Amino acid sequence: MSKIKPSKGAPYARIIGVGGYRPTRVVPNEVILETIDSSDEWIRSRSGIVTRHWASEEETVAAMSIEASGKAIADAGIDPEQIGAVVVSTVSHFKQTPAVATEIAHKIGAGKPAAFDISAGCAGFGYGLTLAKGMIVEGSAEYVLVIGVERLSDLTDLEDRATAFLFGDGAGAVVVGPSQEPAIGPTVWGSEGDKSETIKQTVGWNEFRLGDVSQLPLDSKGEIKFPAITQEGQAVFRWAVFEMAKVAQQALDAAGIAPGDLDVFIPHQANMRIIDSMVKTLKLPEHVTVARDIESTGNTSAASIPLAMERLLATGQAKSGDTALVIGFGAGLVYAATVVTLP
């Protein structure tokens, strides 16, 4: 017989607060067209994006996270000292160590919580939410702060016609706490590493540091380009439309929820055409509110789901207690989907 005492946590977990931060600078498509041969009509038709937010020098990954976290904590009605863990999903914090989560935890007054970063691309919020649920049910934390944050403008090649218009900056945060009833369903998650080359960083930091002009991409001025995110657009589109609809359905099935039982659908804000195709494939009824935050926010990777969730609640398009399907998917290729009760 094991001598280890069993853990005691809450029976279930739920999202109890949400907050978001969008940088003050709003960037219309006209700015993007200064460096690529395209048109506003083409960008809108291909992606649905009209504007995006780009961070200033002061709007760092940590600074945006702190703003979003403060709102989420206030919305949850708890004190920062009650937070037992801080999980930050990001691919655009440029310091390998220490984790930006530790800085955020300190500056929001969270005391001495567990704090760490994860790198799961656009599925990062779903990964963080699943980890938070596990900590609360296991009993290692009562409240967990989950943050998705990106400064993708730092990793955008403005001369790349395929991606220059896609990315934006921002931070979204949720507080996950104990619940007496199921409010975060089973997570359907996974990876398809054989497709890892379809979304990637152009060159590694070590290659960039060596600065070999013969091996690195150059800009229109003949200078070495800073590492950026690149993707095979058509391959990613097909994967997202056909495979992620299946994952979304699996998450519904795992939660025992039929499409007609949903109130809200919050997919990763990657592309408006992908979102519309998933809605059609899942046969979602007209009463289901669909997040289309990408139009004014762009693709903010790990931040896109909590930012879209915050906006739907703030504008009254969704309400507390609604049942929502959330799904994130992207570089890796990785994905995570679950059904949640909105805070």
Side-chain angles (χ1 to χ4, degrees):
M1 181 178 291
S2 174
K3 297 179 181 179
I4 300 173
K5 182 180 178 180
S7 58
K8 275 191 176 181
Y12 306 104
R14 69 182 302 127
I15 300 172
I16 62 172
V18 60
Y21 179 82
R22 292 171 172 81
T24 56
R25 183 187 177 194
V26 177
V27 179
N29 289 336
E30 284 72 20
V31 171
I32 308 298
L33 296 176
E34 294 173 4
T35 52
I36 61 170
D37 180 16
S38 188
S39 68
D40 176 63
E41 180 183 4
W42 187 88
I43 293 173
R44 293 187 188 215
S45 66
R46 299 291 290 184
S47 68
I49 300 172
V50 178
T51 60
R52 73 285 291 147
H53 295 256
W54 282 356
S56 66
E57 186 176 346
E58 293 76 23
E59 291 169 316
T60 63
V61 165
M64 292 190 292
S65 297
I66 290 165
E67 290 291 331
S69 298
K71 295 175 183 178
I73 293 167
D75 190 44
I78 66 169
D79 294 323
E81 294 86 354
Q82 294 177 267
I83 294 170
V86 177
V87 182
V88 177
S89 179
T90 185
V91 299
S92 47
H93 174 58
F94 289 158
K95 287 186 179 179
Q96 192 73 37
T97 191
V100 72
T102 58
E103 177 186 350
I104 296 165
H106 170 67
K107 290 185 175 177
I108 64 173
K112 299 180 180 180
F116 56 95
D117 299 350
I118 60 174
S119 177
C122 304
F125 176 75
Y127 275 48
L129 188 63
T130 303
L131 292 172
K133 174 186 173 183
M135 283 184 258
I136 290 163
V137 173
E138 187 267 344
S140 60
E142 185 177 13
Y143 297 99
V144 180
L145 177 65
V146 179
I147 303 166
V149 57
E150 302 292 1
R151 271 183 57 120
L152 294 182
S153 58
D154 291 334
L155 290 169
T156 299
D157 180 355
L158 293 177
E159 295 181 347
D160 181 1
R161 188 174 184 271
T163 61
F165 58 90
L166 284 176
F167 303 120
D169 303 336
V174 299
V175 174
V176 183
S179 174
Q180 293 302 308
E181 60 183 16
I184 300 175
T187 300
V188 176
W189 57 353
S191 65
E192 297 186 29
D194 59 315
K195 301 179 181 66
S196 61
E197 291 294 300
T198 56
I199 306 175
K200 63 181 182 179
Q201 186 171 308
T202 50
V203 295
W205 300 116
N206 56 333
E207 299 169 282
F208 180 72
R209 180 173 62 87
L210 293 173
D212 185 348
V213 176
S214 65
Q215 300 295 321
L216 298 175
L218 306 178
D219 63 20
S220 57
K221 299 178 182 178
E223 299 176 351
I224 295 174
K225 288 185 177 183
F226 191 75
I229 297 173
T230 185
Q231 69 175 28
E232 298 174 15
Q234 287 301 314
V236 172
F237 181 87
R238 288 193 297 271
W239 176 77
V241 168
F242 296 108
E243 298 304 319
M244 290 306 97
K246 297 176 186 177
V247 171
Q249 184 61 58
Q250 290 169 14
L252 289 173
D253 294 341
I257 299 292
D261 296 327
L262 284 176
D263 300 302
V264 185
F265 178 42
I266 311 178
H268 163 50
Q269 303 294 294
N271 182 298
M272 193 76 80
R273 292 193 301 151
I274 291 175
I275 294 171
D276 290 340
S277 294
M278 291 182 72
V279 169
K280 184 177 180 180
T281 302
L282 289 168
K283 298 180 181 178
L284 296 183
E286 288 188 7
H287 76 261
V288 177
T289 298
V290 180
R292 291 187 171 88
D293 194 42
I294 188 170
E295 180 178 11
S296 59
T297 306
N299 181 343
T300 56
S301 189
S304 77
I305 291 175
L307 277 174
M309 182 185 294
E310 186 268 346
R311 175 162 280 173
L312 288 177
L313 289 166
T315 57
Q317 297 177 72
K319 63 183 185 301
S320 175
D322 278 353
T323 300
L325 168 64
V326 299
I327 179 170
F329 45 86
L333 295 170
V334 295
Y335 55 86
T338 188
V339 176
V340 303
T341 301
L342 294 182

